[in-house]
Amino acid sequence: MIRTGEEYKASIRDSRAVYMNGERIKDVTTHPSFKPLVDIRARIYDLQHDPATRHLMTYREDGEVHAINNKLPLSQQDWWDKRRATDTVLEDIGGVVTRVGDETVGEMWSLFDGQDVLNEVDPQFSKNIRNHIFKVLHTDPFHVSANTDPKGDRSKAPQEQDPDMLLHVVKETDAGIIVRGAKYETAAAYANQAFTKPTIANWGDAAYSDYAVGFICDLGSPGLKFICRTGFAGRAPIDDYPLSNRFDEVDTLVIFDNVLIPWENVLFYRHTKAAVFIRATLHRYSAFAFVQRNLKLADMLIGAALFNVRQTGLEKQQAVQEKLSRLAIYREGINAHLTAAIALPERSPGGLMMPNQSLLYTGRVLACSQLHEMMHIARELCGGQICVTPDKAAFEDAETGPWLEKFYTINDKWIADDRRRLLAFARDLLNSDYAGHRLTFQLFAQSAPFAHLAAVYRNFDWDGPLDFVRRSAGLSKKVLDEKGGRTGDRAVSQWFGQVRDAAE
């Protein structure tokens, strides 16, 4: 049931209206701004068939082969398998990409957990969720999510401004709902479907709202328009900007101009309770792949910085080693949170296996909040040559090339061409427009920093420290909430409880 890369490309050669730089794009599979990422997504599909990697990327069930990253996580081993599959992709392509489907499909599993809430609204919505999870598993689409809204006047409720500023339902029909508005979504122009989610809104005491809607959108639907930002690929030679030209994931404003969403694709509608629940639990699974990519980004920072200090002979200086150690601490901090989140998993309300939520969300804050500082440390270690080095054409020119060969060659190990390549890589990683975009994207991609901290607040075990201090200070149990305190670390207690239950 897994697709090939060519089958994926064929699926997005449709009549969708994609615009960039004021022009309509005829074919996103061949346009220079889209082709690099389309090819990467196609490569991911082909990795599932490649004899060297298919055992890492797929699993067999009931006689069919499925993608590991689409599998509902039912066990701890499922998360180890998913982590290994994502690493396989990033190692193969040689860089970091985020919106390629394995992260965003996790948001569907959060809906699976919310079936009790949605059953209170309409049992059909819960059935739709199960059907779509089954569909993703068996048809292997490129699945993304439409999350961010045009902001409008955020001091006003949605109903108090242009009603189209935020996505909403304008009409019900026998076939489904008609929606208008807009959403930002990376990769939408070359994906198959999107989980379109409600705005982050202050619903107040309202039980119903036309803005509280979530659905699966076929991205080939009539009435959709994709207005894309300018791509980084193709702006400058790939030899001078090796990351920009290979890994730019094009962000898109998706316009919903009276788009029909069939009832079978509606996951919840009007009930604000459902919208609040989904927003609060949206990333309990998808945050794992997102944070894992930060781990690989940290590897890129370390590799670029360490190569630069080694080739100039500065690695043995204490000040340099201290900066390298800070990069290593950042990297291993992310690694520790990911590993511990799998090692101490939790059962979800729907019976799935979740990465430990407190550890996962804390790891996300670590990865995102410190990235700018780590990029600056790497920039210091790479030095000023990442902003002054001439481009490849100057190295190849008959008149300037010999001079650059002379001044950029250090020894037999570090010749001019390798130094130029390394400095071009570091410049694109740290100093280019692409680097700035990546930094901002990582900060906001799964929600704003305040929402990252709110997720930590909701998932941290406050009872453990409270009960510890109560007992140490000799306080009565009256000072605790009615549910009482919990002695020790919740995650560790749960783990030993699971081990004990298994032994019995």
Side-chain angles (χ1 to χ4, degrees), residues 273-380:
K273 179 180 178 181
V276 170
F277 174 85
I278 295 305
R279 294 298 327 192
T281 62
L282 187 63
H283 297 130
R284 61 169 42 152
Y285 302 102
S286 62
F288 189 90
F290 178 76
V291 175
Q292 185 177 349
R293 282 161 165 77
N294 282 264
L295 181 66
K296 190 59 66 177
L297 188 56
D299 285 339
M300 295 170 74
L301 295 176
I302 291 171
L306 184 53
F307 267 135
N308 269 283
V309 295
R310 278 187 176 176
Q311 48 97 11
T312 52
L314 296 176
E315 183 185 2
K316 294 183 179 180
Q317 291 189 9
Q318 182 177 345
V320 169
Q321 291 179 352
E322 289 176 355
K323 285 180 168 49
L324 287 169
S325 295
R326 292 185 65 186
L327 289 174
I329 290 168
Y330 171 70
R331 194 267 182 201
E332 291 297 73
I334 299 171
N335 185 28
H337 280 87
L338 287 170
T339 303
I342 296 179
L344 299 170
E346 303 174 79
R347 281 289 170 196
S348 76
L352 304 180
M353 186 65 81
M354 301 186 297
N356 183 281
Q357 295 292 277
S358 183
L359 291 168
L360 178 58
Y361 285 128
T362 304
R364 185 173 67 172
V365 170
L366 167 68
C368 295
S369 65
Q370 292 189 21
L371 178 58
H372 69 287
E373 184 178 354
M374 296 304 112
M375 289 179 69
H376 185 64
I377 290 174
R379 192 178 294 114
E380 282 188 85

Side-chain angles (χ1 to χ4, degrees), residues 92-138:
D92 181 86
I93 66 174
V96 176
V97 287
T98 302
R99 292 291 194 262
V100 289
D102 59 338
E103 173 205 356
T104 45
V105 72
E107 296 172 352
M108 297 291 291
W109 307 334
S110 298
L111 288 171
F112 184 89
D113 282 340
Q115 289 182 81
D116 288 345
V117 175
L118 299 180
N119 273 330
E120 296 177 16
V121 177
D122 187 332
Q124 180 61 42
F125 296 155
S126 177
K127 180 181 178 182
N128 289 350
I129 290 168
R130 294 192 300 274
N131 287 342
H132 275 285
I133 288 175
F134 180 87
K135 181 180 177 182
V136 166
L137 190 62
H138 287 269

Side-chain angles (χ1 to χ4, degrees), residues 157 159 201-210 212 270-276:
Q159 298 85 350
N202 179 9
W203 305 107
D205 296 326
Y208 304 101
S209 171
D210 289 334
R270 300 206 69 221
H271 288 69
T272 58
K273 179 180 178 181
V276 170

Side-chain angles (χ1 to χ4, degrees), residues 246-263:
R246 291 188 291 157
F247 304 115
D248 178 32
E249 301 170 80
V250 180
D251 308 294
T252 304
L253 179 63
V254 183
I255 308 297
F256 293 79
D257 185 14
N258 290 337
V259 175
L260 170 66
I261 308 299
W263 283 116

Side-chain angles (χ1 to χ4, degrees), residues 8 15 37 51 72 96 108 145 167 172 213 265 404 414 423 459 497:
Y8 154 63
S15 59
L37 254 294
L72 275 172
V96 176
M108 297 291 291
S145 63
L167 187 70
E172 293 184 19
V213 61
N265 289 354
L404 292 173
W414 281 99
L423 291 167
N459 288 277

